[in-house]
């Protein structure tokens, strides 16, 4: 096969990056064949405990077995050179002579400073929200987190260095779910609870992370109920509901693969890819509007209507997302300052299906907005049928996220503080933008006009489903503090949006992270 060598080469590169060039057992076998080790010597090395190396310079206390001089001719009969993998230094302490293990120890020492860099706080999962409707028909905006509004932000509670950890993250988004129907508005908070685990693979250069979020958010069965049963121009307060309340539900689960590509003098570069699975519930939006007077003074021909709408929109949550990213961290030796960042692009692998159904909506239309006799009754049709339905596609726009953070170690391990191992002040800036304009799908809507003496099939402006704002440009600032005691780190952060209008995903955000390294 033509492509097999390339595929094998890619797998070999990933294996080399994650697991190193060989296992310890393979190294022992190679040493046995070259006469530099004895069987079981690697197991014997474990008895000496961990050995940390401060530099890669030659150590006069290390006497490699392969450099052992042969015995003088006048001495006892010659024997084979010592096969021990380590010898004793002048201080009578064990020293490894294996250059591969020594090089790995030096690399681990270089990563030790980077490992103290705290996790980024992050800002938001906001993406692109959707609108639907048209003049004369249902007009609304629905910002449900399950839909394209909420997307994976890899920088949240993350860093370039791989780690073995479990964590819990809580995020409160104030006024993060705006909804609007016929000019009436509702805005709900979102409280996100995320359980996560990151596990290093092989020699620690790669890791896999799993995020399982649960949201207290707008219900997955939002319903709009607007009824004026008395025809007095006032909505019945007992039955009124704009979208509904909040429920605690499973959100979309994500997995992140990360590999450290390179490091040099306190700098590490990583790359990887995230994947989001559609594990949240579908969204079923129901509209029940009865006997509501709507006035359109700015239409080409001003008119008023007494309208009744009975519709159902089923948003199927079936879109998979993939998010390739780059990440870095930098902290010079003995410096209290650090900086880090992520660059991420997220694309949708497939659209989500939307089934729109009209169950017999109608409007009594009068072209005299001051009042008068009705001109005709409009019976709304979808795909040419009263009570018809249409199958549409909801296309998620690709997003780019740029995340930059830095901070200062108020306390580090060298301070020998009585309680904190480290206390870090953090500041971050986060930018999210769409990479292409929104793709809108249209509902094939028409109406049958039934007048005193005529029946006419008329075209209507097709309602659309998608992001009518076409693009977003979100900019947020974050301040926070991270504290580590033993192997547990607690982070508190506050996020403030720097833009307004449709480029503002919430009023503010609070984040709490608790994680334990193992």
């Amino acid at each position: 096969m033509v492509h097999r060598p390339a595929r094998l080469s890619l797998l070999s590169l990933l294996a080399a990056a994650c697991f190193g060039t060989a296992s310890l057992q393979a190294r022992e076998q190679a040493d046995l064949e070259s006469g530099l080790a004895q069987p079981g010597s690697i197991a014997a090395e474990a008895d000496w405990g961990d050995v940390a190396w401060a530099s890669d310079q030659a150590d006069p206390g290390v006497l490699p077995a392969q450099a052992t001089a042969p015995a003088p001719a006048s001495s006892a009969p010659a024997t084979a050179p010592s096969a021990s993998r380590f010898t004793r230094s002048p201080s009578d302490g064990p020293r490894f002579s294996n250059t591969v293990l020594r090089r790995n120890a030096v690399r681990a020492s270089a990563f030790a400073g980077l490992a103290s860099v705290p996790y980024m706080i992050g800002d938001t999962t906001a993406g692109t929200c959707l609108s639907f409707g048209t003049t004369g028909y249902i007009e609304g905006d629905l910002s449900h987190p399950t839909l394209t509004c909420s997307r994976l932000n890899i920088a949240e509670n993350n860093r370039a260095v791989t780690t073995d950890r479990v964590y819990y993250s809580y995020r409160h988004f104030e006024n993060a779910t705006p909804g609007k129907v016929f000019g009436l508005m509702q805005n709900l908070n979102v409280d996100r609870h995320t359980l996560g685990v990151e596990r290093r693979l092989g020699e620690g250069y790669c890791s896999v992370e799993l995020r399982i979020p649960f949201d207290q958010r707008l219900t997955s069965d939002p319903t709009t109920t607007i009824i004026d049963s008395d025809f007095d121009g006032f909505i019945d307060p007992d039955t009124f509901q704009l979208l509904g309340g909040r429920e605690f539900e499973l959100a979309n689960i994500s997995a992140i693969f990360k590999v450290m590509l390179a490091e040099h003098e306190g700098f590490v570069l990583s790359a990887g890819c995230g994947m989001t699975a559609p594990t949240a519930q579908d969204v079923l939006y129901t509209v029940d509007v009865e006997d509501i007077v709507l006035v359109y003074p700015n239409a080409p021909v001003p008119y008023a209507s007494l309208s009744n709408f009975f519709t159902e929109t089923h948003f199927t949550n079936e879109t998979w997302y993939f998010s390739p990213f780059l990440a870095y961290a930098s902290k010079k030796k003995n410096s209290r300052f650090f900086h880090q960042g992520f660059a991420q692009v997220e694309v949708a692998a497939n659209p989500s299906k939307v089934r729109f159904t009209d169950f017999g909506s109608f409007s009594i239309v009068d072209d005299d907005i001051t009042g008068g006799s009705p001109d005709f009754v409009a019976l709304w049709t979808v795909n040419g049928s009263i009570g018809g339905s249409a199958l549409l596609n909801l296309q998620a726009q690709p997003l780019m996220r740029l995340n930059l953070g830095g901070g200062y170690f108020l306390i580090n391990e060298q301070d020998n503080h009585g309680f904190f191992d480290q206390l870090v002040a953090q500041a971050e800036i986060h930018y999210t933008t769409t990479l292409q304009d929104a793709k809108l799908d249209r509902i094939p809507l028409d109406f049958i006009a039934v007048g005193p003496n005529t029946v006419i099939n008329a075209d209507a402006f097709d309602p659309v489903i998608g992001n009518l704002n076409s693009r977003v440009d979100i900019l947020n600032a974050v301040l926070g503090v991270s504290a580590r005691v033993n192997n547990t780190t607690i982070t508190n952060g506050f996020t403030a949006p720097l833009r307004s209008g449709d480029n503002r995903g919430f009023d503010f955000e609070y984040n709490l992270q608790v994680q334990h390294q193992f």
Side-chain angles (χ1 to χ4, degrees), residues 431-470:
Y431 174 66
T432 302
T433 186
T434 49
L435 296 180
Q436 67 178 210
D437 292 339
K439 295 180 180 180
L440 306 177
D441 211 348
R442 297 183 175 275
I443 301 172
L445 179 72
D446 298 306
F447 65 89
I448 301 173
V450 181
N453 300 309
T454 183
V455 175
I456 300 174
N457 290 320
D459 293 332
F461 293 106
D462 290 343
V464 296
I465 289 182
N467 179 22
L468 292 184
N469 301 315
S470 188

Side-chain angles (χ1 to χ4, degrees), residues 210-222:
L210 182 66
R211 298 183 182 180
I212 306 176
F214 296 87
D215 287 353
Q216 183 78 20
R217 63 186 185 190
L218 175 64
T219 175
S220 292
D221 299 307

Side-chain angles (χ1 to χ4, degrees), residues 127-131 141 143 180 397 434 436-438 440 464 466-473 501-503:
T128 56
C129 297
L130 64 91
S131 303
D141 297 313
S143 302
K180 182 172 64 175
Q397 295 169 259
T434 49
Q436 67 178 210
D437 292 339
L440 306 177
V464 296
N467 179 22
L468 292 184
N469 301 315
S470 188
R471 62 175 297 116
V472 295
D473 289 286
D502 297 323
N503 296 314

Side-chain angles (χ1 to χ4, degrees), residues 111-130:
F111 279 126
L114 292 169
S116 65
V117 173
Y119 301 93
M120 292 195 76
I121 298 171
D123 61 334
T124 175
T125 57
T128 56
C129 297
L130 64 91

